[in-house]
Amino acid sequence: MNKYQIETNCIRGGYTPGNGEPRQIPIIQSTTFKYDTSEDMAKLFDLEASGYFYTRLQNPTNDYAAAKICALEGGTAAMLTSSGQAATFYSVFNIASAGDHVVCSSCVYGGTYNLFAVTMKRMGIDFTFISPECSDKEFEAAFRDNTKAVFGETIANPALTVLDIERFANMAHKHGVPLIIDNTFATPINCRPFEFGADIVTHSTTKYMDGHSAGVGGCIVDSGKFDWTKYPDKYPGLCTPDDSYHGITYTERFGIEGAYITKATAQLMRDLGSIQSPHNAYILNLGLESLHVRVKRHCENAQAVAEFLSTHPNVESVRYCGLKGDKYYDLAQKYLPNGSCGVISFDLKGTREDAEKFMKNLRLAIIATHVADAQTCVLHPASSTHRQMTDEELANAGISPKMIRLSCGIENSADIIADLKQALEA
Ligand SMILES: *Cc1c(COP(=O)(O)O)cnc(C)c1O
């Protein structure tokens, strides 16, 4: 499969039909799989044979789409989850439990921040958030004896900061822990974090991978490169027998290439059940077939729109790492040489009321909390997602009352620009 280029893998990866079989991946809309003897089924329960028995753990349709994403990222194993949130949760919870600690970039998705700082903290896992631009000394000081992972986002949603993945990977490895990267905004088309030393990649497939606002979903991919067996005391769940699975030791049975994803499937999916529905996996796979074409167009449109906005007299500032002069331009040249993503943020001149008026005057761009859709979506955080905050609280969160978040779709860029222009000048 990996003999092909990434564009070909978008279409051909993960599923190769045999003679007379369907061109498109079959939707196996079945909870259950039938066996001739209990012995056959026992082998599956003991993980001695591979096969399907219950869709709460695994389903063939999901596995086709997961195998495609695995090929795109250049990993060794992958699984789908019901949402990006579930992928983020499993990726950490698979190797950290009560009493453990994780180092996380402070520039991450708000849902990730809440999950880590509030919900997983209540489960007894501690997180230290560090600025991605902190000094090496501050970075080093964040690690503890019980640190199990480092977490960051390639392009942060919505801060649009670009992570120095190599630096984070080196620091994680120096302290004997893996680097987990949320690669949702960049997608493997624009950045493959494994090539820069990351060990695990997560996705909200809800965004560009699906691309049409059709299905919520997530994915976890393992590079197969992190050697858990070097730290058996730190990762007992992977390196010592699992009593809840008949004494299997995941690293022994599945090697370092397969241990992490097998454990997440066998334990976390079994017990927590955040599986993606096969129907959503089918829709996701359709989205993946055009991912390379759409992402390129999203980025071209965003670049044109960012350049237009940065010269408009009613715009105060524009944040987009493809703009020369953007704080993250140099990092983007290294990690995202072919483009970053379709999301831009900008501050209008004037007041909060001017921003509200601007939103009202838009005709093409739709007002939605979503990003990464084929349609251009726009959001005024101060009057929607962050409306309970005062101007002062907004400032502390790094959001101006005049900030607009714009997710450029794949319409003709001249139409997007014309819509913005008329709303800016109305
Ligand atoms: C949306 C998003 C998530 C959460 O994904 P859901 O599919 O909405 O659960 C996680 N990380 C990033 C970067 C996101 O944009």
Side-chain angles (χ1 to χ4, degrees):
M1 191 188 303
N2 284 321
K3 65 181 189 277
Y4 292 127
Q5 303 289 317
I6 195 162
E7 294 81 359
T8 309
N9 273 332
C10 280
I11 297 150
R12 305 296 286 271
Y15 171 69
T16 308
N19 190 36
E21 289 180 354
R23 140 76 176 88
Q24 193 46 268
I25 63 170
I27 305 175
I28 308 296
Q29 193 69 45
S30 182
T31 59
T32 310
F33 299 80
K34 171 246 169 202
Y35 288 92
D36 289 340
T37 68
S38 340
E39 288 75 37
D40 288 343
M41 188 171 277
K43 286 198 184 110
L44 299 179
F45 272 96
D46 285 351
L47 301 180
E48 270 172 19
S50 63
Y52 298 92
F53 53 98
Y54 192 52
T55 290
R56 170 154 39 78
L57 285 91
Q58 261 186 307
N59 175 283
T61 313
N62 295 19
D63 286 352
Y64 293 136
K68 179 175 285 185
I69 297 172
C70 191
L72 297 180
E73 288 287 5
T76 56
M79 68 196 288
L80 296 192
T81 56
S82 56
S83 67
Q85 286 300 101
T88 307
F89 174 53
Y90 280 21
S91 74
V92 174
F93 197 57
N94 202 32
I95 49 172
S97 28
D100 289 339
H101 171 257
V102 173
V103 177
C104 184
S105 161
S106 59
C107 291
V108 287
Y109 175 63
T112 302
Y113 180 81
N114 248 343
L115 170 67
F116 289 171
V118 181
T119 300
M120 289 181 78
K121 181 147 175 65
R122 275 173 50 209
M123 301 169 78
I125 303 173
D126 235 358
F127 289 80
T128 300
F129 293 91
I130 53 154
S131 160
E133 279 126 53
C134 71
S135 69
D136 282 356
K137 212 171 136 210
E138 288 168 293
F139 206 150
E140 298 268 3
F143 286 89
R144 305 179 192 164
D145 291 341
N146 59 346
T147 301
K148 298 298 169 84
V150 175
F151 192 99
E153 229 167 279
T154 313
I155 308 170
N157 173 14
L160 301 180
T161 54
V162 178
L163 191 75
D164 190 344
I165 298 173
E166 240 164 32
R167 176 180 184 229
F168 267 58
N170 289 339
M171 200 58 98
H173 297 159
K174 187 174 167 194
H175 291 84
V177 301
L179 173 65
I180 307 174
I181 290 289
D182 180 338
N183 197 34
T184 298
F185 265 31
T187 82
I189 302 302
N190 283 341
C191 179
R192 305 209 310 164
F194 295 157
E195 290 170 2
F196 300 102
D199 302 285
I200 312 280
V201 157
T202 64
H203 282 280
S204 165
T205 62
T206 316
K207 310 294 165 51
Y208 289 110
M209 287 190 171
D210 172 278
H212 302 80
S213 290
V216 171
C219 184
I220 310 173
V221 190
D222 184 6
S223 68
K225 282 193 235 152
F226 192 81
D227 190 355
W228 315 101
T229 64
K230 272 168 73 180
Y231 314 97
D233 296 338
K234 204 185 289 185
Y235 302 106
L238 288 159
C239 302
T240 55
D242 176 3
D243 291 336
S244 81
Y245 245 108
H246 321 292
I248 276 181
T249 300
Y250 292 101
T251 46
E252 267 173 25
R253 182 73 69 81
F254 302 99
I256 59 167
E257 317 79 45
Y260 176 91
I261 292 292
T262 308
K263 176 180 179 288
T265 302
Q267 282 182 349
L268 301 185
M269 274 303 177
R270 178 196 61 190
D271 296 348
L272 301 168
S274 313
I275 195 83
Q276 188 163 139
S277 85
H279 192 83
N280 274 16
Y282 172 84
I283 292 170
L284 165 59
N285 187 67
L286 271 187
L288 291 170
E289 288 196 5
S290 61
L291 182 69
H292 55 304
V293 183
R294 289 184 291 105
V295 162
K296 186 166 182 279
R297 182 63 173 266
H298 279 289
C299 293
E300 285 166 4
N301 282 358
Q303 185 69 33
V305 168
E307 283 168 13
F308 160 76
L309 289 171
S310 64
T311 59
H312 197 281
N314 294 344
V315 174
E316 197 166 272
S317 60
V318 181
R319 200 180 292 177
Y320 188 65
C321 65
L323 283 181
K324 283 205 181 81
D326 186 84
K327 192 174 166 197
Y328 297 97
Y329 181 79
D330 290 338
L331 276 177
Q333 291 302 299
K334 172 171 177 181
Y335 291 106
L336 305 150
N338 301 322
S340 55
C341 65
V343 183
I344 298 170
S345 74
F346 60 98
D347 276 15
L348 293 171
K349 283 190 184 146
T351 61
R352 179 194 285 252
E353 288 67 39
D354 291 322
E356 284 165 7
K357 196 169 144 224
F358 165 79
M359 295 291 288
K360 237 177 231 145
N361 284 320
L362 288 168
R363 304 210 174 103
L364 178 73
I366 63 164
I367 296 177
T369 55
H370 197 42
V371 293
D373 188 70
Q375 296 195 8
T376 295
C377 303
V378 67
L379 188 75
H380 177 222
S383 63
S384 56
T385 49
H386 296 69
R387 68 174 288 115
Q388 74 285 0
M389 293 186 176
T390 63
D391 284 5
E392 198 186 338
E393 286 171 330
L394 281 175
N396 290 337
I399 295 168
S400 128
K402 300 171 293 176
M403 187 187 110
I404 306 287
R405 186 184 73 184
L406 179 70
S407 170
C408 293
I410 51 177
E411 302 96 338
N412 188 309
S413 64
D415 289 332
I416 303 172
I417 290 171
D419 186 37
L420 293 168
K421 187 170 189 307
Q422 64 79 23
L424 280 167
E425 290 164 15

